PDB file of all heavy atoms in Angstrom:
ATOM      1  N   ALA A1221      14.326  -5.981   1.938  1.00 91.00           N
ATOM      2  CA  ALA A1221      13.373  -5.688   3.001  1.00 91.00           C
ATOM      3  C   ALA A1221      11.984  -5.439   2.411  1.00 91.00           C
ATOM      4  O   ALA A1221      11.840  -4.884   1.317  1.00 91.00           O
ATOM      5  CB  ALA A1221      13.827  -4.463   3.790  1.00 91.00           C
ATOM      6  N   TRP A1222      10.974  -5.879   3.156  1.00 91.00           N
ATOM      7  CA  TRP A1222       9.585  -5.669   2.747  1.00 91.00           C
ATOM      8  C   TRP A1222       9.315  -4.173   2.599  1.00 91.00           C
ATOM      9  O   TRP A1222       9.850  -3.345   3.334  1.00 91.00           O
ATOM     10  CB  TRP A1222       8.643  -6.262   3.795  1.00 91.00           C
ATOM     11  CG  TRP A1222       7.199  -6.090   3.468  1.00 91.00           C
ATOM     12  CD1 TRP A1222       6.424  -6.916   2.694  1.00 91.00           C
ATOM     13  CD2 TRP A1222       6.331  -5.037   3.904  1.00 91.00           C
ATOM     14  NE1 TRP A1222       5.146  -6.431   2.630  1.00 91.00           N
ATOM     15  CE2 TRP A1222       5.067  -5.273   3.364  1.00 91.00           C
ATOM     16  CE3 TRP A1222       6.529  -3.914   4.687  1.00 91.00           C
ATOM     17  CZ2 TRP A1222       3.977  -4.445   3.587  1.00 91.00           C
ATOM     18  CZ3 TRP A1222       5.450  -3.077   4.915  1.00 91.00           C
ATOM     19  CH2 TRP A1222       4.191  -3.344   4.372  1.00 91.00           C
ATOM     20  N   THR A1223       8.484  -3.837   1.651  1.00 90.00           N
ATOM     21  CA  THR A1223       8.071  -2.463   1.432  1.00 90.00           C
ATOM     22  C   THR A1223       6.572  -2.431   1.160  1.00 90.00           C
ATOM     23  O   THR A1223       5.999  -3.408   0.658  1.00 90.00           O
ATOM     24  CB  THR A1223       8.837  -1.832   0.243  1.00 90.00           C
ATOM     25  OG1 THR A1223       8.254  -0.570  -0.078  1.00 90.00           O
ATOM     26  CG2 THR A1223       8.797  -2.703  -0.989  1.00 90.00           C
ATOM     27  N   THR A1224       5.942  -1.323   1.498  1.00 89.00           N
ATOM     28  CA  THR A1224       4.504  -1.195   1.244  1.00 89.00           C
ATOM     29  C   THR A1224       4.191  -1.223  -0.250  1.00 89.00           C
ATOM     30  O   THR A1224       3.042  -1.441  -0.626  1.00 89.00           O
ATOM     31  CB  THR A1224       3.941   0.093   1.876  1.00 89.00           C
ATOM     32  OG1 THR A1224       4.716   1.212   1.447  1.00 89.00           O
ATOM     33  CG2 THR A1224       3.959   0.005   3.392  1.00 89.00           C
ATOM     34  N   ALA A1225       5.188  -1.044  -1.099  1.00 90.00           N
ATOM     35  CA  ALA A1225       4.974  -1.153  -2.543  1.00 90.00           C
ATOM     36  C   ALA A1225       4.562  -2.572  -2.927  1.00 90.00           C
ATOM     37  O   ALA A1225       3.947  -2.772  -3.980  1.00 90.00           O
ATOM     38  CB  ALA A1225       6.239  -0.737  -3.301  1.00 90.00           C
ATOM     39  N   TRP A1226       4.886  -3.550  -2.092  1.00 93.00           N
ATOM     40  CA  TRP A1226       4.512  -4.942  -2.376  1.00 93.00           C
ATOM     41  C   TRP A1226       3.056  -5.230  -2.048  1.00 93.00           C
ATOM     42  O   TRP A1226       2.521  -6.264  -2.408  1.00 93.00           O
ATOM     43  CB  TRP A1226       5.403  -5.899  -1.604  1.00 93.00           C
ATOM     44  CG  TRP A1226       6.842  -5.878  -2.002  1.00 93.00           C
ATOM     45  CD1 TRP A1226       7.415  -5.177  -3.032  1.00 93.00           C
ATOM     46  CD2 TRP A1226       7.903  -6.577  -1.374  1.00 93.00           C
ATOM     47  NE1 TRP A1226       8.755  -5.415  -3.064  1.00 93.00           N
ATOM     48  CE2 TRP A1226       9.098  -6.271  -2.057  1.00 93.00           C
ATOM     49  CE3 TRP A1226       7.969  -7.434  -0.281  1.00 93.00           C
ATOM     50  CZ2 TRP A1226      10.331  -6.808  -1.700  1.00 93.00           C
ATOM     51  CZ3 TRP A1226       9.196  -7.955   0.075  1.00 93.00           C
ATOM     52  CH2 TRP A1226      10.363  -7.646  -0.634  1.00 93.00           C
ATOM     53  N   MET A1227       2.389  -4.339  -1.344  1.00 93.00           N
ATOM     54  CA  MET A1227       0.992  -4.544  -0.982  1.00 93.00           C
ATOM     55  C   MET A1227       0.118  -4.381  -2.235  1.00 93.00           C
ATOM     56  O   MET A1227       0.320  -3.457  -3.016  1.00 93.00           O
ATOM     57  CB  MET A1227       0.579  -3.528   0.089  1.00 93.00           C
ATOM     58  CG  MET A1227      -0.783  -3.804   0.680  1.00 93.00           C
ATOM     59  SD  MET A1227      -1.224  -2.598   1.950  1.00 93.00           S
ATOM     60  CE  MET A1227      -0.081  -3.052   3.237  1.00 93.00           C
ATOM     61  N   SER A1228      -0.829  -5.277  -2.403  1.00 94.00           N
ATOM     62  CA  SER A1228      -1.697  -5.228  -3.582  1.00 94.00           C
ATOM     63  C   SER A1228      -2.715  -4.085  -3.465  1.00 94.00           C
ATOM     64  O   SER A1228      -3.029  -3.616  -2.364  1.00 94.00           O
ATOM     65  CB  SER A1228      -2.443  -6.551  -3.747  1.00 94.00           C
ATOM     66  OG  SER A1228      -3.420  -6.709  -2.733  1.00 94.00           O
ATOM     67  N   ASP A1229      -3.221  -3.659  -4.616  1.00 93.00           N
ATOM     68  CA  ASP A1229      -4.281  -2.645  -4.619  1.00 93.00           C
ATOM     69  C   ASP A1229      -5.516  -3.162  -3.887  1.00 93.00           C
ATOM     70  O   ASP A1229      -6.178  -2.421  -3.169  1.00 93.00           O
ATOM     71  CB  ASP A1229      -4.636  -2.238  -6.051  1.00 93.00           C
ATOM     72  CG  ASP A1229      -3.551  -1.416  -6.714  1.00 93.00           C
ATOM     73  OD1 ASP A1229      -2.758  -0.763  -5.997  1.00 93.00           O
ATOM     74  OD2 ASP A1229      -3.478  -1.425  -7.958  1.00 93.00           O
ATOM     75  N   GLU A1230      -5.795  -4.457  -4.058  1.00 95.00           N
ATOM     76  CA  GLU A1230      -6.927  -5.066  -3.348  1.00 95.00           C
ATOM     77  C   GLU A1230      -6.691  -5.023  -1.839  1.00 95.00           C
ATOM     78  O   GLU A1230      -7.604  -4.744  -1.069  1.00 95.00           O
ATOM     79  CB  GLU A1230      -7.128  -6.514  -3.813  1.00 95.00           C
ATOM     80  CG  GLU A1230      -8.253  -7.238  -3.109  1.00 95.00           C
ATOM     81  CD  GLU A1230      -9.631  -6.686  -3.389  1.00 95.00           C
ATOM     82  OE1 GLU A1230      -9.804  -5.899  -4.353  1.00 95.00           O
ATOM     83  OE2 GLU A1230     -10.560  -7.012  -2.628  1.00 95.00           O
ATOM     84  N   GLY A1231      -5.468  -5.266  -1.417  1.00 94.00           N
ATOM     85  CA  GLY A1231      -5.132  -5.179  -0.001  1.00 94.00           C
ATOM     86  C   GLY A1231      -5.335  -3.779   0.543  1.00 94.00           C
ATOM     87  O   GLY A1231      -5.845  -3.593   1.648  1.00 94.00           O
ATOM     88  N   ARG A1232      -4.970  -2.771  -0.237  1.00 93.00           N
ATOM     89  CA  ARG A1232      -5.173  -1.376   0.174  1.00 93.00           C
ATOM     90  C   ARG A1232      -6.664  -1.068   0.321  1.00 93.00           C
ATOM     91  O   ARG A1232      -7.086  -0.412   1.263  1.00 93.00           O
ATOM     92  CB  ARG A1232      -4.530  -0.432  -0.835  1.00 93.00           C
ATOM     93  CG  ARG A1232      -3.032  -0.507  -0.842  1.00 93.00           C
ATOM     94  CD  ARG A1232      -2.452   0.228  -2.071  1.00 93.00           C
ATOM     95  NE  ARG A1232      -1.097  -0.197  -2.303  1.00 93.00           N
ATOM     96  CZ  ARG A1232      -0.031   0.307  -1.684  1.00 93.00           C
ATOM     97  NH1 ARG A1232      -0.177   1.277  -0.816  1.00 93.00           N
ATOM     98  NH2 ARG A1232       1.171  -0.154  -1.942  1.00 93.00           N
ATOM     99  N   ARG A1233      -7.471  -1.572  -0.620  1.00 93.00           N
ATOM    100  CA  ARG A1233      -8.925  -1.369  -0.532  1.00 93.00           C
ATOM    101  C   ARG A1233      -9.494  -2.057   0.711  1.00 93.00           C
ATOM    102  O   ARG A1233     -10.347  -1.511   1.403  1.00 93.00           O
ATOM    103  CB  ARG A1233      -9.612  -1.881  -1.798  1.00 93.00           C
ATOM    104  CG  ARG A1233      -9.490  -0.944  -2.982  1.00 93.00           C
ATOM    105  CD  ARG A1233     -10.387  -1.362  -4.147  1.00 93.00           C
ATOM    106  NE  ARG A1233      -9.929  -2.595  -4.788  1.00 93.00           N
ATOM    107  CZ  ARG A1233      -8.958  -2.655  -5.699  1.00 93.00           C
ATOM    108  NH1 ARG A1233      -8.344  -1.560  -6.087  1.00 93.00           N
ATOM    109  NH2 ARG A1233      -8.611  -3.798  -6.239  1.00 93.00           N
ATOM    110  N   LYS A1234      -9.028  -3.283   0.978  1.00 95.00           N
ATOM    111  CA  LYS A1234      -9.513  -4.026   2.140  1.00 95.00           C
ATOM    112  C   LYS A1234      -9.159  -3.296   3.442  1.00 95.00           C
ATOM    113  O   LYS A1234      -9.974  -3.247   4.361  1.00 95.00           O
ATOM    114  CB  LYS A1234      -8.909  -5.430   2.169  1.00 95.00           C
ATOM    115  CG  LYS A1234      -9.460  -6.363   1.112  1.00 95.00           C
ATOM    116  CD  LYS A1234      -8.733  -7.706   1.179  1.00 95.00           C
ATOM    117  CE  LYS A1234      -9.189  -8.675   0.138  1.00 95.00           C
ATOM    118  NZ  LYS A1234      -8.417  -9.944   0.197  1.00 95.00           N
ATOM    119  N   LEU A1235      -7.940  -2.738   3.520  1.00 92.00           N
ATOM    120  CA  LEU A1235      -7.556  -1.986   4.715  1.00 92.00           C
ATOM    121  C   LEU A1235      -8.493  -0.818   4.948  1.00 92.00           C
ATOM    122  O   LEU A1235      -8.971  -0.602   6.063  1.00 92.00           O
ATOM    123  CB  LEU A1235      -6.124  -1.461   4.582  1.00 92.00           C
ATOM    124  CG  LEU A1235      -4.988  -2.410   4.899  1.00 92.00           C
ATOM    125  CD1 LEU A1235      -3.652  -1.736   4.621  1.00 92.00           C
ATOM    126  CD2 LEU A1235      -5.054  -2.898   6.331  1.00 92.00           C
ATOM    127  N   ALA A1236      -8.738  -0.027   3.905  1.00 91.00           N
ATOM    128  CA  ALA A1236      -9.606   1.148   4.035  1.00 91.00           C
ATOM    129  C   ALA A1236     -11.017   0.743   4.468  1.00 91.00           C
ATOM    130  O   ALA A1236     -11.612   1.380   5.343  1.00 91.00           O
ATOM    131  CB  ALA A1236      -9.641   1.931   2.731  1.00 91.00           C
ATOM    132  N   ALA A1237     -11.545  -0.328   3.874  1.00 93.00           N
ATOM    133  CA  ALA A1237     -12.890  -0.785   4.231  1.00 93.00           C
ATOM    134  C   ALA A1237     -12.938  -1.287   5.673  1.00 93.00           C
ATOM    135  O   ALA A1237     -13.976  -1.192   6.332  1.00 93.00           O
ATOM    136  CB  ALA A1237     -13.337  -1.890   3.276  1.00 93.00           C
ATOM    137  N   TYR A1238     -11.818  -1.772   6.178  1.00 92.00           N
ATOM    138  CA  TYR A1238     -11.722  -2.294   7.544  1.00 92.00           C
ATOM    139  C   TYR A1238     -11.516  -1.172   8.566  1.00 92.00           C
ATOM    140  O   TYR A1238     -11.599  -1.387   9.762  1.00 92.00           O
ATOM    141  CB  TYR A1238     -10.554  -3.289   7.586  1.00 92.00           C
ATOM    142  CG  TYR A1238     -10.433  -4.113   8.831  1.00 92.00           C
ATOM    143  CD1 TYR A1238     -11.428  -5.011   9.234  1.00 92.00           C
ATOM    144  CD2 TYR A1238      -9.284  -4.046   9.610  1.00 92.00           C
ATOM    145  CE1 TYR A1238     -11.275  -5.798  10.370  1.00 92.00           C
ATOM    146  CE2 TYR A1238      -9.122  -4.829  10.747  1.00 92.00           C
ATOM    147  CZ  TYR A1238     -10.127  -5.693  11.118  1.00 92.00           C
ATOM    148  OH  TYR A1238      -9.974  -6.479  12.241  1.00 92.00           O
ATOM    149  N   GLY A1239     -11.218   0.035   8.087  1.00 91.00           N
ATOM    150  CA  GLY A1239     -11.026   1.171   8.990  1.00 91.00           C
ATOM    151  C   GLY A1239      -9.572   1.496   9.289  1.00 91.00           C
ATOM    152  O   GLY A1239      -9.288   2.259  10.197  1.00 91.00           O
ATOM    153  N   ILE A1240      -8.646   0.921   8.505  1.00 91.00           N
ATOM    154  CA  ILE A1240      -7.219   1.224   8.638  1.00 91.00           C
ATOM    155  C   ILE A1240      -6.798   2.019   7.411  1.00 91.00           C
ATOM    156  O   ILE A1240      -7.022   1.583   6.288  1.00 91.00           O
ATOM    157  CB  ILE A1240      -6.372  -0.052   8.752  1.00 91.00           C
ATOM    158  CG1 ILE A1240      -6.766  -0.846  10.002  1.00 91.00           C
ATOM    159  CG2 ILE A1240      -4.879   0.287   8.765  1.00 91.00           C
ATOM    160  CD1 ILE A1240      -6.077  -2.198  10.112  1.00 91.00           C
ATOM    161  N   ALA A1241      -6.220   3.201   7.617  1.00 90.00           N
ATOM    162  CA  ALA A1241      -5.759   4.008   6.494  1.00 90.00           C
ATOM    163  C   ALA A1241      -4.602   3.273   5.811  1.00 90.00           C
ATOM    164  O   ALA A1241      -3.613   2.942   6.459  1.00 90.00           O
ATOM    165  CB  ALA A1241      -5.315   5.385   6.964  1.00 90.00           C
ATOM    166  N   PRO A1242      -4.739   2.983   4.508  1.00 89.00           N
ATOM    167  CA  PRO A1242      -3.673   2.256   3.816  1.00 89.00           C
ATOM    168  C   PRO A1242      -2.478   3.155   3.519  1.00 89.00           C
ATOM    169  O   PRO A1242      -2.602   4.377   3.502  1.00 89.00           O
ATOM    170  CB  PRO A1242      -4.349   1.804   2.517  1.00 89.00           C
ATOM    171  CG  PRO A1242      -5.401   2.825   2.271  1.00 89.00           C
ATOM    172  CD  PRO A1242      -5.873   3.269   3.635  1.00 89.00           C
ATOM    173  N   PRO A1243      -1.314   2.538   3.266  1.00 85.00           N
ATOM    174  CA  PRO A1243      -0.155   3.339   2.861  1.00 85.00           C
ATOM    175  C   PRO A1243      -0.394   3.912   1.472  1.00 85.00           C
ATOM    176  O   PRO A1243      -1.211   3.393   0.703  1.00 85.00           O
ATOM    177  CB  PRO A1243       0.989   2.327   2.860  1.00 85.00           C
ATOM    178  CG  PRO A1243       0.330   1.008   2.628  1.00 85.00           C
ATOM    179  CD  PRO A1243      -1.015   1.111   3.282  1.00 85.00           C
ATOM    180  N   GLN A1244       0.320   4.974   1.157  1.00 77.00           N
ATOM    181  CA  GLN A1244       0.207   5.588  -0.156  1.00 77.00           C
ATOM    182  C   GLN A1244       0.827   4.679  -1.205  1.00 77.00           C
ATOM    183  O   GLN A1244       1.774   3.958  -0.944  1.00 77.00           O
ATOM    184  CB  GLN A1244       0.924   6.943  -0.178  1.00 77.00           C
ATOM    185  CG  GLN A1244       0.369   7.944   0.800  1.00 77.00           C
ATOM    186  CD  GLN A1244      -1.058   8.330   0.472  1.00 77.00           C
ATOM    187  OE1 GLN A1244      -1.392   8.625  -0.668  1.00 77.00           O
ATOM    188  NE2 GLN A1244      -1.912   8.306   1.470  1.00 77.00           N
ATOM    189  N   ARG A1245       0.282   4.723  -2.418  1.00 70.00           N
ATOM    190  CA  ARG A1245       0.854   3.962  -3.532  1.00 70.00           C
ATOM    191  C   ARG A1245       2.037   4.762  -4.041  1.00 70.00           C
ATOM    192  O   ARG A1245       1.911   5.944  -4.315  1.00 70.00           O
ATOM    193  CB  ARG A1245      -0.205   3.770  -4.624  1.00 70.00           C
ATOM    194  CG  ARG A1245       0.281   3.245  -5.939  1.00 70.00           C
ATOM    195  CD  ARG A1245       0.929   1.899  -5.928  1.00 70.00           C
ATOM    196  NE  ARG A1245       0.023   0.794  -5.796  1.00 70.00           N
ATOM    197  CZ  ARG A1245       0.472  -0.437  -5.581  1.00 70.00           C
ATOM    198  NH1 ARG A1245       1.746  -0.676  -5.485  1.00 70.00           N
ATOM    199  NH2 ARG A1245      -0.360  -1.418  -5.453  1.00 70.00           N
ATOM    200  N   ARG A1246       3.215   4.131  -4.134  1.00 61.00           N
ATOM    201  CA  ARG A1246       4.411   4.818  -4.600  1.00 61.00           C
ATOM    202  C   ARG A1246       4.858   4.246  -5.927  1.00 61.00           C
ATOM    203  O   ARG A1246       4.803   3.045  -6.144  1.00 61.00           O
ATOM    204  CB  ARG A1246       5.587   4.623  -3.641  1.00 61.00           C
ATOM    205  CG  ARG A1246       5.416   5.190  -2.315  1.00 61.00           C
ATOM    206  CD  ARG A1246       6.700   5.235  -1.530  1.00 61.00           C
ATOM    207  NE  ARG A1246       7.579   4.100  -1.654  1.00 61.00           N
ATOM    208  CZ  ARG A1246       8.292   3.605  -0.666  1.00 61.00           C
ATOM    209  NH1 ARG A1246       8.213   4.149   0.517  1.00 61.00           N
ATOM    210  NH2 ARG A1246       9.085   2.591  -0.833  1.00 61.00           N
ATOM    211  N   ALA A1247       5.351   5.117  -6.763  1.00 57.00           N
ATOM    212  CA  ALA A1247       6.001   4.686  -7.986  1.00 57.00           C
ATOM    213  C   ALA A1247       7.494   4.597  -7.703  1.00 57.00           C
ATOM    214  O   ALA A1247       7.977   5.105  -6.699  1.00 57.00           O
ATOM    215  CB  ALA A1247       5.729   5.691  -9.101  1.00 57.00           C
ATOM    216  N   ASP A1248       8.228   3.936  -8.580  1.00 58.00           N
ATOM    217  CA  ASP A1248       9.677   3.932  -8.437  1.00 58.00           C
ATOM    218  C   ASP A1248      10.174   5.351  -8.618  1.00 58.00           C
ATOM    219  O   ASP A1248       9.603   6.142  -9.351  1.00 58.00           O
ATOM    220  CB  ASP A1248      10.312   3.015  -9.480  1.00 58.00           C
ATOM    221  CG  ASP A1248      10.036   1.554  -9.198  1.00 58.00           C
ATOM    222  OD1 ASP A1248       9.806   1.207  -8.029  1.00 58.00           O
ATOM    223  OD2 ASP A1248      10.056   0.757 -10.154  1.00 58.00           O
ATOM    224  N   GLY A1249      11.231   5.692  -7.954  1.00 59.00           N
ATOM    225  CA  GLY A1249      11.792   7.040  -8.062  1.00 59.00           C
ATOM    226  C   GLY A1249      11.799   7.714  -6.715  1.00 59.00           C
ATOM    227  O   GLY A1249      11.873   7.057  -5.679  1.00 59.00           O
ATOM    228  N   PRO A1250      11.705   9.036  -6.711  1.00 62.00           N
ATOM    229  CA  PRO A1250      11.773   9.779  -5.442  1.00 62.00           C
ATOM    230  C   PRO A1250      10.648   9.380  -4.497  1.00 62.00           C
ATOM    231  O   PRO A1250       9.541   9.067  -4.922  1.00 62.00           O
ATOM    232  CB  PRO A1250      11.623  11.246  -5.856  1.00 62.00           C
ATOM    233  CG  PRO A1250      11.796  11.276  -7.331  1.00 62.00           C
ATOM    234  CD  PRO A1250      11.523   9.908  -7.856  1.00 62.00           C
ATOM    235  N   VAL A1251      10.951   9.377  -3.216  1.00 57.00           N
ATOM    236  CA  VAL A1251       9.948   9.087  -2.195  1.00 57.00           C
ATOM    237  C   VAL A1251       9.157  10.368  -1.958  1.00 57.00           C
ATOM    238  O   VAL A1251       9.723  11.407  -1.626  1.00 57.00           O
ATOM    239  CB  VAL A1251      10.613   8.615  -0.882  1.00 57.00           C
ATOM    240  CG1 VAL A1251       9.570   8.429   0.203  1.00 57.00           C
ATOM    241  CG2 VAL A1251      11.385   7.334  -1.127  1.00 57.00           C
ATOM    242  N   LEU A1252       7.855  10.285  -2.143  1.00 59.00           N
ATOM    243  CA  LEU A1252       7.000  11.447  -1.952  1.00 59.00           C
ATOM    244  C   LEU A1252       6.612  11.565  -0.490  1.00 59.00           C
ATOM    245  O   LEU A1252       6.351  10.566   0.179  1.00 59.00           O
ATOM    246  CB  LEU A1252       5.748  11.326  -2.818  1.00 59.00           C
ATOM    247  CG  LEU A1252       6.012  11.192  -4.322  1.00 59.00           C
ATOM    248  CD1 LEU A1252       4.693  10.989  -5.057  1.00 59.00           C
ATOM    249  CD2 LEU A1252       6.748  12.400  -4.860  1.00 59.00           C
TER     250      LEU A1252
END
């Protein structure tokens, strides 16, 4: 299944600049 971890850092920057709060960047391991 798709996960927000697949979203690029550039995509996260573009979302924020567009006015959409991007998902948090997650590392492997526990879900924060």
Side-chain angles (χ1 to χ4, degrees):
W1222 180 86
T1223 171
T1224 53
W1226 295 355
M1227 189 179 290
S1228 70
D1229 289 335
E1230 178 66 15
R1232 292 168 198 276
R1233 282 190 290 278
K1234 288 177 182 177
L1235 278 176
Y1238 190 62
I1240 298 174
Q1244 299 296 313
R1245 169 61 75 190
R1246 296 193 320 217
D1248 290 334
V1251 175
L1252 302 176

